[in-house]
Amino acid sequence: MATLNPATRDPVRAALAPLLAAHRAAHPGSALPGSAEAELRHGYAVAERLHRGQLRKSGAPYITHPLAVALILAGMGLDTTTLVAALLHDTVEDTPYTLGEVRAEFGDEIAVLVDGVTKLDGRRWGDRAEAETLRKIVLAAAADLRVLVIKLADRLHNLRTLRHQPEHKRARYAKASHELLVPFADRLGIHVLKREMDDLAFAARHPAAHEATRRAVRTALGQAGRTFGPATALLRTSLAEHGVKARTQLRQSHLYAVHQSFGGDLAGLRPCEAARLLLLVDGGESDCYIALGAVHAALHPVAGQVRDFIATPKDNMYRSLHTRVIGPAGDPFEVIIRSEAMHPVAEYGIVAHIRDAGGDPATAVAGRRDLVWLSRLLAWQPDAPSAEFLDRLRADLAAGHVAAFTTRGAMVPLPAGATALDFAYALGPGTGDRCIGAVVNGRLAPMSVQIRSGNVVEVLTDPAGAPSEDWLGIAVSVPARVHIQQRLALRRAEEDADAGRRRLVQALAERGVDLLAAEARGDSLAVARDLGHTEIDEMYAALSTGAVGLGDLLARFTGP
């Protein structure tokens, strides 16, 4: 008599089998804690029970979504705690389960992760819900980046199943993904997520262009052997002659990247325009530079087309050498060189660091230079009202990358198009407020000069300097613009308060009332608070702008 497979008898084990297998596969050679399976079984059982009866738009049981999110994260090597949180990530939002119950049943760490990705109630927050939910995720990510990683995996699976949504919702959701979530994946260096999210959002927003790009790339790659085969053979010989061990991979460019490069002009797309060659060097940094020499010895290099992201990593700590060469058939293509040790970070970014942190992934990334952008975001976000937060966040995330340097050699990351004024504010608000110009590469320059990668910048300041309205036409970076707007608003409020007070002083003097004496007695503050102001300067400013009438104030100060 045939015996039943244990997984068949246990539906929880059957459902979890792919997740457990992926979790073990991502940690070869290091045994997972014995409690890992029990924790995942518990998380799945609770999530399945709470979501039971709920269906996705596809008609599939809702539990398939959190399970898929957990599977994406397991494939990247995330820890058991993160996977349990992924299984539970929609329970507080979509079921009667409370955050307190999560904390009591699973502990504080998982509760923090679940809370971080839980949307705010649209009925309570109204039009502010989307902006404030994203602000909440950013604030939670500052304490534990796994919150943002879970959110990205959640968005990836929703994009994979977006075809089941109405057409108008598909386009809107994909647009938001391109503008807000994909840039987060890029800032965190998680390129495996970025590439797939890019292509899925592209397919939803522009299906005809996506299909045309897919066909063109497929046709081009059908001829890849003719372009890359002879070049790869020459490279292998040259690498051996230079004593470098390396393996080669043909890397297809993702479809959205091809679309951005060529738009609708895809006729005759060549293999060298649809793929790049990746060299993974078995060795250290010096071996990568030797490999670069071997590449240039075998294939003619294109002048000025070497980019060194090893000596100067990107903001997200991506490290590789990029060079453009001419193949034997005359086709120019890009070669990327990195060590085997650099490869996980190039693909998984911050996740590779979280994974390597072992027992304390929540704090392993504290103080990292690749998270300076998050510190800047946290610095300006409190001053951004809900109505402006998303627009400012889009602008901040959409900005390209420029790496400039102080005279002491410290790197200052800036958005593309940034000026010396942006550089000054990147050094600190005090420096920015007093900026009057700069010395760029040893030459005097106005604060409006555009900074380029590699520039060495010294900021010139004046102790009496202060922001002016004109600066909003110079500053490009969101933190600088927010600070300038804040300072200008504060100055206008001070000027309004001064003008309003002078007006009230004169009007009261004509009636024999000394405003200074009234302020000393506390009468002015009492009147201000009766009118709903916390400070007397707010009341004076309201008088200047017309929000408060002079007659009303006079009556309150002089009595009936």
Side-chain angles (χ1 to χ4, degrees):
M1 181 177 179
T3 58
L4 290 174
N5 185 299
T8 306
R9 296 196 303 267
D10 185 346
V12 172
R13 178 177 292 180
L16 279 179
L19 177 61
L20 293 171
H23 197 24
R24 284 190 291 266
H27 299 273
S30 59
L32 292 169
S35 61
E37 180 172 349
E39 292 174 27
L40 290 169
R41 286 175 62 86
H42 184 200
Y44 175 84
V46 170
E48 193 282 328
R49 171 174 57 81
L50 291 167
H51 289 301
R52 193 174 298 158
Q54 296 178 350
L55 299 177
R56 299 272 287 168
K57 289 288 186 182
S58 63
Y62 194 89
I63 188 60
T64 58
H65 169 64
L67 187 58
V69 173
L71 190 58
I72 291 169
L73 296 169
M76 294 193 294
L78 270 299
D79 57 292
T80 305
T81 297
T82 307
L83 303 188
V84 175
L87 290 170
L88 298 167
H89 81 272
D90 275 337
T91 55
V92 174
E93 182 179 324
D94 293 335
T95 79
Y97 205 46
T98 67
L99 194 61
E101 289 174 306
V102 175
R103 184 173 288 106
E105 195 164 356
F106 293 94
D108 288 339
E109 191 175 6
I110 288 175
V112 167
L113 295 175
V114 172
D115 182 37
V117 295
T118 298
K119 292 179 185 176
L120 295 173
D121 188 348
R123 291 169 296 183
R124 289 182 54 195
W125 289 82
D127 293 341
R128 300 168 57 206
E130 182 183 6
E132 292 306 319
T133 292
L134 206 50
R135 194 197 306 260
K136 174 172 171 275
I137 290 172
V138 168
L139 291 171
D144 192 330
L145 277 171
R146 291 176 297 175
V147 169
L148 191 48
V149 177
I150 293 172
K151 180 61 183 177
L152 292 173
D154 171 61
R155 179 56 60 99
L156 173 57
H157 184 251
N158 282 332
L159 285 169
R160 286 176 177 175
T161 56
L162 198 56
R163 65 187 180 280
H164 300 293
Q165 296 288 346
E167 185 174 352
H168 70 280
K169 187 172 183 178
R170 292 200 298 268
R172 179 174 58 82
Y173 195 83
K175 183 174 185 288
S177 299
H178 263 155
E179 292 179 348
L180 294 169
L181 275 300
V182 170
F184 272 125
D186 182 54
R187 291 293 181 93
L188 294 175
I190 314 175
H191 293 110
V192 290
L193 293 188
K194 177 187 181 297
R195 289 191 290 264
E196 187 177 357
M197 291 171 71
D198 253 345
D199 286 352
L200 290 170
F202 175 34
R205 294 180 70 184
H206 309 291
H210 177 271
E211 177 59 21
T213 306
R214 187 190 66 79
R215 287 198 306 267
V217 168
R218 183 181 61 186
T219 300
L221 292 179
Q223 306 297 318
R226 297 179 184 177
T227 298
F228 291 101
T232 301
L234 290 174
L235 283 178
R236 287 173 179 159
T237 299
S238 184
L239 288 166
E241 291 173 351
H242 284 74
V244 177
K245 294 181 178 180
R247 56 192 178 99
T248 60
Q249 291 183 2
L250 187 64
R251 297 295 296 270
Q252 176 185 330
S253 298
H254 66 287
L255 300 182
Y256 191 59
V258 174
H259 171 73
Q260 287 180 305
S261 297
F262 299 98
D265 187 16
L266 295 169
L269 187 74
R270 294 180 295 169
C272 59
E273 296 169 329
R276 299 175 291 179
L277 201 61
L278 173 64
L279 293 187
L280 292 174
V281 176
D282 183 9
E285 290 182 14
S286 60
D287 296 295
C288 291
Y289 290 102
I290 295 172
L292 177 64
V295 171
H296 287 174
L299 303 167
H300 184 70
V302 178
Q305 293 293 306
V306 175
R307 290 174 291 168
D308 187 348
F309 297 120
I310 293 180
T312 307
K314 291 186 179 181
D315 286 354
N316 55 23
M317 295 306 289
Y318 172 90
R319 303 180 75 214
S320 295
L321 298 171
H322 289 224
T323 185
R324 196 162 183 80
V325 297
I326 307 294
D331 294 310
F333 61 87
E334 188 170 24
V335 179
I336 301 172
I337 304 165
R338 67 177 70 122
S339 70
E340 295 278 5
M342 296 172 191
H343 189 53
V345 178
E347 292 292 289
Y348 297 103
I350 202 68
V351 171
H353 297 293
I354 293 174
R355 183 175 61 205
D356 294 342
D360 194 10
T363 59
V365 294
R368 296 185 58 85
R369 182 173 66 78
D370 47 328
L371 297 178
V372 170
W373 64 271
L374 182 56
S375 300
R376 292 198 304 265
L377 196 165
L378 292 168
W380 66 254
Q381 66 81 25
D383 301 313
S386 299
E388 299 175 14
F389 178 70
L390 286 181
D391 286 339
R392 289 178 177 177
L393 183 60
R394 287 187 189 97
D396 198 351
L397 293 174
H401 305 289
V402 170
F405 296 87
T406 68
T407 53
R408 294 185 177 183
M411 191 180 83
V412 179
L414 295 168
T419 63
L421 183 60
D422 293 298
F423 185 97
Y425 273 108
L427 298 180
T431 303
D433 286 345
R434 297 191 297 272
C435 178
I436 57 172
V439 177
V440 181
N441 295 340
R443 294 175 177 268
L444 283 172
M447 67 177 74
S448 60
V449 68
Q450 185 171 322
I451 303 300
R452 303 186 184 279
S453 283
N455 285 170
V456 177
V457 183
E458 179 184 358
V459 177
L460 303 178
T461 60
D462 180 348
S468 68
E469 292 284 350
D470 294 341
W471 286 20
L472 291 175
I474 298 174
V476 171
S477 66
V478 172
R481 293 183 63 81
V482 168
H483 183 80
I484 293 167
Q485 290 167 341
Q486 188 180 13
R487 284 297 305 276
L488 292 175
L490 180 61
R491 184 190 303 165
R492 285 192 291 267
E494 291 172 347
E495 292 171 350
D496 288 342
D498 186 53
R501 187 179 185 280
R502 288 198 306 270
R503 185 181 176 195
L504 185 59
V505 165
Q506 182 178 350
L508 286 175
E510 293 172 356
R511 290 162 175 75
V513 178
D514 184 350
L515 180 58
L516 185 61
E519 289 174 341
R521 293 193 302 269
D523 294 347
S524 290
L525 182 59
V527 171
R529 288 183 174 170
D530 282 345
L531 291 171
H533 302 289
T534 56
E535 302 290 342
I536 55 175
D537 281 348
E538 292 179 9
M539 177 180 70
Y540 297 151
L543 173 61
S544 178
T545 60
V548 173
L550 179 61
D552 184 21
L553 279 187
L554 290 175
R556 289 173 183 271
F557 276 94
T558 60

